[in-house]
Amino acid sequence: MANRLELTWYGKDEPIRIEPRLLIENTELSNVGGDSDTENMLIHGDNLLALKALEKDYAGQVKCIYIDPPFNTGQAFEHYDDNLEHSIWLNLMNERFKHLYRLLEADGMFWIHLDDVEVHYCKVLLDEIFTRRNFVSHITYERSAVAGLGQGGYLVNTTEHILLYKKGSLPDKLNLSYEELGFNIIKRYNRFVVNFGERVLVREFTAKSNGELVRVYEHSGVEIASISLRDAKNREAEIRKEFVAHLDTLFRGNRVQKENEFQNNIIASLDKGKLYSVDYVPSRGKNKGEETTLYYYNCELLSWLKDTTILENGMLSKSQKMTTLWKHGEIPKADIANEGGVYFPRSKKPEQLLHRIIEMSTEPGDIVLDSFLGSGTTAAVAHKMGRRYIGIEMGEHAYTHCKTRLDAVIAGNDLLGITKTLNWQGGGGYRFYELAPTLINKDAFGEYVINEEYDADMLAAAVALHEGFRYQPDENLFWKQSVGNENSYLFVTTRHLNGTYLDSIKDTMQEDEYLIIACKSFDSGLDKAYDNIVIKKIPQMLLSRCEFGKDDYALNIIHPPKYEDEEMESDE
């Protein structure tokens, strides 16, 4: 496109023609638990091949995509050899982004977690795919401060980045649940006034800012109670009820800034352990010119919970919008090393982080997808939250980490992460899938042949996938093997097709029906016998469409290629 602003790199224009593969359930590894109808999927295999395999059935159906790909930092991790040449990383990620975009719902949300090595290039790349108008936010995610200990370099890096894109519209506001933010609020606002008592005027003075009179009152007969946090986890329902009942009287203390002369002047005359109220007329702010009352307790200005939260449908939410700075204290990472019961050093993300992302993006029953599942955090959190999910992992830890973790979630044995927050008791299930092998191989003579691992049913289903048909054999007519629409069909056979056999099929067809027959061979001229029957040879009909025989599009190349300029420089 002329005058288009885009990112270019070595190899961008070289197409990656991905073979559509079948997904084959490994029933021995599936764990449906008590949910025989479960639609949750755990897929082992190259995620680019897996995304291609999902497109036929899931295009436009995924509500939330979160991915945490290898950061391309040049470090060799235990599970990801994360040392890639820059152009290779961009090329392979670009192809994945295109498939992920097609899977996303019209109003779906896409989140990608990166560090500062590739995030800026990735932003430009995603602008091309989603368009710049669908960029939502660049979130700075603060890891634990101790993450910077022992780092070299000019500045210690304690942050990572999350880019958020939408495919269509966004909800008018974020409805974050009490479970998400409630106990954080309780920890900050843990006292309430049971009885304000009587107040007596103890001081008057004139404000310098506007000449208005300021009156300071001391309260007697005050009764202040605390919401106990020590046993809050054991009395969660009771604490919530008590918390909401005192919504109008709950407060927290505010440390007054030194430069606020007005506040400091008042506090200097107050005694600790007492409640005071101050009537005054602000000279600025939202209450400018209107008489306002401030409250002080223990020489601290009080902020009231009712002014900083809203109560909707029995749920508490912060009234202010969430910012793009997600601090470590807001998303606790305590005991993250042990979450899920699997060891995944330096790569595991906290369940609280995924809880927030999924809560912001979905409703129960929506589909969440993670194509770099890693230790299984996204799937585990989605499972506990009642979302459907698709998790893809190319490494062996699909078995050792993801499956192990999900089995513990289903059994109710996973006691960490968001388990207590959601009161998760176990249940649900998932199905485990492997990618089918490549459909076409080369034989000893260099000829393309159908893979011997494919039986008749697999072959028919695979060719249907290539042709855009749905494998759905008819009980009465054998040639209605796969359906394109209500009047078009595909029939795959490994036998030689002759005139007599073709005529027998034609005799059972309606005038408005259309059929494609894929076979190994057929009599000369037979492909022109009928206008509504097309005959093709396999594997020849498929060879030009995609790249067969490649099982690995992984982002784990340890030694990047050398280009001519680099070789010339080294020779010099």
Side-chain angles (χ1 to χ4, degrees):
M1 184 181 296
N3 301 321
R4 178 178 176 178
L5 180 64
E6 63 178 330
L7 182 67
T8 60
W9 62 84
Y10 182 88
K12 180 179 181 179
D13 296 328
E14 297 177 8
I16 300 177
R17 298 181 302 130
I18 304 158
E19 176 188 2
R21 301 281 186 93
L22 295 175
L23 290 172
I24 302 173
E25 183 182 358
N26 186 330
T27 55
E28 292 185 0
L29 295 181
S30 292
N31 183 352
V32 298
D35 183 8
S36 59
D37 297 325
T38 181
E39 299 178 30
N40 296 328
M41 304 175 70
L42 177 55
I43 303 171
H44 173 246
D46 182 273
N47 59 10
L48 192 50
L49 289 168
L51 291 173
K52 180 70 174 178
L54 289 168
E55 277 189 15
K56 182 68 172 63
D57 293 326
Y58 288 92
Q61 295 190 42
V62 177
K63 193 63 175 287
C64 169
I65 295 174
Y66 169 85
I67 59 172
D68 177 23
F71 285 173
N72 194 15
T73 59
Q75 301 176 30
F77 294 111
E78 178 182 351
H79 297 292
Y80 292 117
D81 291 322
D82 190 15
N83 184 3
L84 280 177
E85 196 275 335
H86 182 62
S87 291
I88 297 175
W89 190 91
L90 288 170
N91 213 38
L92 293 177
M93 288 306 302
N94 184 46
E95 197 66 29
R96 285 163 169 82
F97 292 157
K98 291 176 182 177
H99 288 283
L100 290 167
Y101 181 84
R102 287 192 281 269
L103 289 168
L104 204 58
E105 259 191 36
D107 59 349
M109 298 173 73
F110 173 81
W111 309 72
I112 180 170
H113 197 134
L114 297 161
D115 70 356
D116 53 9
V117 174
E118 297 289 359
V119 65
H120 307 96
Y121 294 94
C122 189
K123 168 68 169 64
V124 179
L125 184 57
L126 288 170
D127 282 347
E128 292 184 35
I129 296 171
F130 283 83
T131 73
R132 291 185 67 182
R133 67 177 176 271
N134 283 329
F135 169 72
V136 179
S137 289
H138 179 160
I139 297 161
T140 298
Y141 170 55
E142 180 191 47
R143 298 173 292 166
S144 171
V146 299
L149 295 178
Q151 283 190 20
Y154 189 64
L155 297 172
V156 174
N157 184 10
T158 60
T159 60
E160 294 168 354
H161 307 273
I162 301 174
L163 298 179
L164 170 59
Y165 282 81
K166 61 185 176 68
K167 193 172 183 180
S169 60
L170 283 177
D172 293 335
K173 60 181 178 179
L174 296 175
N175 292 317
L176 295 180
S177 70
Y178 180 92
E179 284 80 6
E180 170 69 16
L181 295 175
F183 266 84
N184 284 341
I185 292 173
I186 286 179
K187 288 175 183 177
R188 294 175 57 203
Y189 304 86
N190 63 345
R191 290 176 295 183
F192 56 90
V193 179
V194 178
N195 185 354
F196 283 85
E198 296 181 2
R199 65 177 192 164
V200 177
L201 181 66
V202 294
R203 182 187 175 198
E204 288 184 337
F205 66 94
T206 301
K208 293 181 180 180
S209 58
N210 56 12
E212 295 284 354
L213 191 64
V214 179
R215 296 181 175 88
V216 181
Y217 297 87
E218 179 180 330
H219 290 244
S220 61
V222 176
E223 185 180 354
I224 295 177
S226 295
I227 293 178
S228 174
L229 299 179
R230 185 182 301 273
D231 61 346
K233 291 183 179 180
N234 298 326
R235 306 193 294 122
E236 183 175 350
E238 181 183 348
I239 290 293
R240 284 189 193 173
K241 184 177 180 180
E242 187 177 9
F243 183 65
V244 173
H246 294 280
L247 182 62
D248 290 336
T249 60
L250 205 64
F251 67 84
R252 69 176 174 88
N254 263 346
R255 293 182 179 178
V256 178
Q257 299 295 325
K258 290 182 179 180
E259 60 269 21
N260 192 330
E261 183 179 354
F262 175 74
Q263 300 287 355
N264 286 330
N265 183 16
I266 293 174
I267 289 176
S269 64
L270 305 182
D271 294 328
K272 285 193 173 185
K274 293 184 178 181
L275 178 67
Y276 295 87
S277 57
V278 177
D279 293 342
Y280 81 114
V281 178
S283 60
R284 58 185 177 181
K286 65 179 182 179
N287 295 326
K288 180 180 179 180
E290 299 178 5
E291 187 168 80
T292 302
T293 301
L294 299 178
Y295 289 86
Y296 295 82
Y297 176 71
N298 207 28
C299 294
E300 286 185 338
L301 175 66
L302 302 185
S303 293
W304 296 96
L305 180 60
K306 65 181 180 180
D307 295 329
T308 54
T309 63
I310 55 176
L311 185 65
E312 292 184 355
N313 301 320
M315 308 297 274
L316 281 169
S317 300
K318 284 188 175 179
S319 58
Q320 67 267 30
K321 289 185 177 180
M322 185 176 293
T323 72
T324 56
L325 175 59
W326 292 8
K327 297 183 179 180
H328 172 65
E330 293 177 348
I331 308 174
K333 294 179 69 173
D335 209 20
I336 182 177
N338 294 316
E339 280 189 0
V342 292
Y343 181 65
F344 204 65
R346 292 185 292 171
S347 298
K348 193 190 294 183
K349 296 300 181 287
E351 289 197 8
Q352 286 285 0
L353 173 63
L354 269 300
H355 183 206
R356 173 177 285 190
I357 287 172
I358 295 173
E359 183 79 12
M360 291 172 64
S361 308
T362 66
E363 298 292 338
D366 287 339
I367 300 177
V368 177
L369 184 147
D370 186 342
S371 54
F372 291 88
L373 193 56
S375 67
T377 303
T378 304
V381 172
H383 194 110
K384 295 176 186 178
M385 293 179 68
R387 274 60 168 176
R388 291 179 290 163
Y389 57 86
I390 301 171
I392 306 170
E393 181 47 56
M394 63 186 73
E396 285 300 307
H397 38 292
Y399 310 105
T400 59
H401 289 63
C402 303
K403 175 174 171 54
T404 299
R405 185 169 189 170
L406 287 173
D407 288 344
V409 170
I410 292 168
N413 296 329
D414 179 4
L415 304 179
L416 299 177
I418 63 169
T419 295
K420 291 183 179 179
T421 302
L422 299 184
N423 193 27
W424 176 254
Q425 302 293 322
Y430 67 88
R431 301 187 185 279
F432 196 103
Y433 293 87
E434 304 277 4
L435 284 167
T438 186
L439 176 59
I440 298 173
N441 285 324
K442 280 186 178 181
D443 64 14
F445 303 99
E447 297 293 327
Y448 288 101
V449 295
I450 297 171
N451 193 329
E452 293 180 354
E453 294 184 45
Y454 278 72
D455 59 23
D457 290 333
M458 283 182 62
L459 176 62
V463 175
L465 187 61
H466 279 263
E467 293 286 321
F469 285 71
R470 182 179 297 277
Y471 181 62
Q472 187 177 307
D474 187 273
E475 293 181 359
N476 300 313
L477 293 173
F478 68 90
W479 56 267
K480 288 187 175 182
Q481 195 179 62
S482 298
V483 181
N485 55 46
E486 61 181 72
N487 292 317
S488 65
Y489 302 92
L490 171 69
F491 174 51
V492 180
T493 178
T494 56
R495 67 177 293 171
H496 176 82
L497 195 64
N498 58 34
T500 302
Y501 190 65
L502 185 61
D503 290 341
S504 68
I505 292 176
K506 174 61 179 175
D507 289 342
T508 61
M509 292 180 64
Q510 302 296 320
E511 290 186 5
D512 61 345
E513 290 180 332
Y514 179 81
L515 177 64
I516 298 175
I517 300 178
C519 59
K520 279 193 172 181
S521 59
F522 55 88
D523 286 347
S524 178
L526 205 60
D527 55 333
K528 297 180 176 62
Y530 299 107
D531 292 338
N532 61 339
I533 300 178
V534 174
I535 303 174
K536 299 180 178 181
K537 284 185 178 181
I538 47 176
Q540 287 78 8
M541 62 182 284
L542 305 174
L543 291 176
S544 62
R545 296 188 178 180
C546 58
E547 180 180 27
F548 291 95
K550 183 160 184 176
D551 295 316
D552 185 5
Y553 292 91
L555 292 163
N556 61 350
I557 302 171
I558 299 175
H559 302 293
K562 284 189 175 182
Y563 303 129
E564 291 183 4
D565 291 345
E566 294 176 346
E567 292 175 349
M568 291 175 62
E569 289 175 4
S570 62
D571 289 341
E572 293 175 359

